[in-house]
Amino acid sequence: MAIKQHSTHDEKETARLAAELAREAPFPGLVFLRGPLGSGKSVFARSFIRTLTGNPAEEVPSPTFTLVQTYDTPRGTIWHFDLYRLERPEDVYELGWEDALSEGLVLVEWPEKLGPRAPRPALDIHIAADQNKGDSRVIEIRTPL
């Protein structure tokens, strides 16, 4: 596994990094976003999705309550899952999980909620606040070799 670490100083830098990664995203593919509440996963996801749709004004609400949102892009469908409220790992199948894995790019916030059902991601992104540095983030990107 290859690991790259980045530091961002504010939300704009986090969004720029997400846009760079989106341009290289595999279709179909799987991207996991990990990090505690408030770490910047939604900022990252929003920029990632807007880059792939080609629409910087794309409305990208957090799917915290709907659990999944889809977006059409020139490369295929993006399935954005937020599994924070998922009660049991097997409940993911009620959200179109199998369809998502077979046809598009799957972006998952809170992938640990999948438990043993979590497939190996193409990109595994860990976001954490950089202690005592305001909006700074440490973003670790893990890719399979």
Side-chain angles (χ1 to χ4, degrees), residues 83-90 109-115:
L83 303 179
Y84 182 74
R85 296 179 59 237
L86 194 72
E87 292 185 21
R88 300 171 308 172
E90 57 271 16
E109 295 184 56
W110 301 99
E112 54 276 9
K113 294 286 204 155
L114 292 169

Side-chain angles (χ1 to χ4, degrees), residues 13-139:
E13 285 186 13
T14 298
R16 274 196 296 274
L17 177 60
E20 288 174 27
L21 288 172
R23 289 183 195 100
E24 301 171 12
F27 262 87
L30 182 61
V31 178
F32 284 171
L33 291 178
R34 302 177 191 269
L37 283 171
S39 64
K41 293 183 300 297
S42 293
V43 167
F44 193 98
R46 196 168 289 117
S47 178
F48 193 92
I49 291 166
R50 287 176 174 159
T51 298
L52 288 170
T53 64
N55 180 359
E58 179 84 41
E59 186 175 339
V60 183
S62 175
T64 301
F65 293 100
T66 60
L67 302 181
V68 65
Q69 297 278 10
T70 59
Y71 303 89
D72 292 323
T73 79
R75 295 173 62 193
T77 302
I78 299 172
W79 294 68
H80 181 198
F81 290 87
D82 183 329
L83 303 179
Y84 182 74
R85 296 179 59 237
L86 194 72
E87 292 185 21
R88 300 171 308 172
E90 57 271 16
D91 291 345
V92 75
Y93 296 107
E94 296 174 21
L95 303 174
W97 181 251
E98 291 170 312
D99 291 335
L101 291 175
S102 69
E103 70 179 47
L105 185 133
V106 181
L107 180 64
V108 183
E109 295 184 56
W110 301 99
E112 54 276 9
K113 294 286 204 155
L114 292 169
R117 288 173 168 68
R120 178 174 280 180
L123 290 174
D124 196 1
I125 300 168
H126 298 246
I127 304 174
D130 195 351
Q131 299 300 320
N132 302 316
K133 292 189 180 180
D135 288 336
S136 295
R137 299 289 181 256
V138 174
I139 301 172

